[in-house]
Amino acid sequence: MSFKALPKVELHTHIEGAAPPDFIRGLAKEKNVDLSGIFAADGGYAYRDFWHFLEVYEAATSVLNSPQDYARLTRAVLENCAEAGVVYVETFISPDFCGGRDVSAWRDYLAAIQDAAAEAERDAGITLRGIVTAVRHFGPDAAREVARCAQQTAGGFITGYGMGGDEKSGKQGDFAYAFDMAREAGLKLTTHAGEWNGPDEVRAALDDLRVERIGHGVRAIEDPALVDRLVQDGITLEVCPGSNVFLGVYPDLAAHPIARLRDRGVKVTVSTDDPPFFRTDMVKEYEDLSRQFGWDAADFKALNLTAIEAAFCDDATRERVRKIVEAQDV
Ligand code: ADE
Ligand code: ZN
């Protein structure tokens, strides 16, 4: 069956990571920037491993340097999401890249992104919410400045605060102050953990940052007591199977723990992370999961209900999207 028409809820994307390569190539040409080194012969992004991926990601992002660029990016990204049947999506947005962590510049970038999102909502019926994101390898001081940007713009479109980047850099606990700032501003919290590091990293995210969702979190499977805790505490995992397989966290989907985590009662959801970087989209994710684990439309409907339950949006938005998912025939 085709999964394209299923209404989908996606909790874990990075706005720059969702940039179509053609879009970045076009912007580089307009700005006379030579980015030829980050593209493969077929036009897609090229990199060797996760750490090189982060470098290529930042190189691609270097041509996004005005609010207008981000407005165009938002339109391109939401068009692709809507095409894959996504009706609600949350995306990580970094003040590091949007105005260099300056609050007033950040406001301008955010206004442009929000305008573009409102346009997409009108035209394609897709809803976007933003999670302000620190980049772990930029360090705790930068994360505090990012949290200050988050504080100043919390509410409505900006629903959460999170952290991505190199999980091997520093400790989750180094960022506790920044996460406390965001929590005090009423934001919901998530952090990348248990993608490259093991269960201890997930435990640190829960103990030190007190997040309610975890980006990836899949390596929790290595510690049964931690899996029990995830179930008991109702922590939702933003699982990105295609990303994990493409980057080599697991050799193939058969080895990926998403189905085992789900069978143990963990709240798992499905997202694409940085779709063009991993040559994926939500339809492909569903097709691959269906082929590997036998999941059908009813399974995906249940996953999408879990996802909207864990979405960081206000309750009126949640209710509206939940009805769309619930109306899906299975
Ligand atoms: N930034 C963008 N994609 C990421 C990922 N998969 N892990 C950590 N940081 C990221
Ligand atoms: Zn991510």
Side-chain angles (χ1 to χ4, degrees):
M1 78 170 286
S2 163
F3 293 115
K4 196 167 164 169
L6 298 191
K8 303 173 186 72
V9 174
E10 187 169 18
L11 300 180
H12 188 120
T13 64
H14 299 256
I15 194 161
E16 300 88 2
D22 282 345
F23 174 82
I24 293 295
R25 221 182 342 266
L27 216 51
K29 196 166 174 217
E30 277 174 35
K31 299 184 182 200
N32 274 318
V33 177
D34 179 11
L35 281 185
S36 50
I38 70 167
F39 296 113
D42 71 354
Y45 295 110
Y47 51 90
R48 289 182 300 277
D49 56 20
F50 175 65
W51 292 272
H52 190 216
F53 154 76
L54 291 176
E55 281 175 34
V56 167
Y57 185 110
E58 284 165 32
T61 301
S62 71
V63 295
L64 291 160
N65 37 37
S66 73
Q68 182 56 26
D69 293 339
Y70 269 84
R72 288 165 67 186
L73 170 66
T74 304
R75 277 196 291 274
V77 167
L78 290 180
E79 212 170 276
N80 285 345
C81 288
E83 178 70 23
V86 175
V87 294
Y88 175 91
V89 53
E90 293 184 3
T91 199
F92 297 113
I93 313 173
S94 314
D96 304 272
F97 304 132
C98 297
R101 303 192 289 273
D102 172 78
V103 173
S104 127
W106 162 246
R107 283 187 193 283
D108 293 342
Y109 276 79
L110 198 54
I113 293 168
Q114 266 187 265
D115 282 352
E119 206 176 282
E121 182 145 8
R122 268 196 317 271
D123 296 348
I126 181 166
T127 300
L128 176 70
R129 291 291 181 266
I131 301 173
V132 179
T133 292
V135 178
R136 182 156 165 175
H137 51 275
F138 294 171
D141 292 343
R144 284 186 201 202
E145 290 176 37
V146 168
R148 178 151 169 72
C149 290
Q151 277 182 330
Q152 298 296 314
T153 52
F157 179 77
I158 292 297
T159 56
Y161 180 81
M163 181 165 69
D166 183 0
E167 212 183 320
K168 302 280 184 194
S169 161
K171 302 192 300 290
Q172 297 280 6
D174 299 340
F175 299 87
Y177 190 94
F179 276 74
D180 286 347
M181 286 171 68
R183 185 185 302 102
E184 280 165 22
L187 291 166
K188 307 275 181 54
L189 304 176
T190 178
T191 187
H192 286 59
E195 179 189 15
W196 295 100
N197 288 338
D200 285 350
E201 189 71 16
V202 176
R203 213 176 265 108
L206 299 176
D207 290 339
D208 300 344
L209 304 185
R210 292 156 55 205
V211 294
E212 56 205 83
R213 290 191 342 216
I214 302 261
H216 300 285
V218 283
R219 291 196 54 199
I221 195 74
E222 295 164 30
D223 180 339
L226 178 60
V227 174
D228 290 343
R229 180 175 175 186
L230 293 175
V231 176
Q232 262 152 30
D233 293 356
I235 303 294
T236 297
L237 302 187
E238 306 152 10
V239 183
C240 308
S243 161
N244 295 153
V245 171
F246 202 90
L247 287 171
V249 179
Y250 298 101
D252 50 34
L253 198 54
H256 194 284
I258 186 168
R260 281 175 285 147
L261 287 162
R262 181 173 182 245
D263 290 347
R264 288 284 309 276
V266 178
K267 292 181 180 179
V268 300
T269 60
V270 174
S271 294
T272 56
D273 210 3
D274 308 282
F277 280 89
F278 309 135
R279 313 242 171 177
T280 190
D281 60 34
M282 282 291 267
V283 178
K284 180 171 187 302
E285 293 291 329
Y286 283 29
E287 284 169 353
D288 290 349
L289 289 164
S290 175
R291 201 175 308 114
Q292 184 62 50
F293 300 117
W295 292 357
D296 61 14
D299 293 299
F300 292 117
K301 179 175 181 176
L303 284 179
N304 281 309
L305 288 171
T306 299
I308 196 60
E309 195 59 45
F312 285 167
C313 59
D314 60 275
D315 286 341
T317 306
R318 188 189 323 285
E319 215 28 60
R320 180 171 58 71
V321 178
R322 194 208 317 269
K323 282 194 182 124
I324 298 172
V325 175
E326 247 158 20
Q328 173 204 321
D329 286 334
V330 292

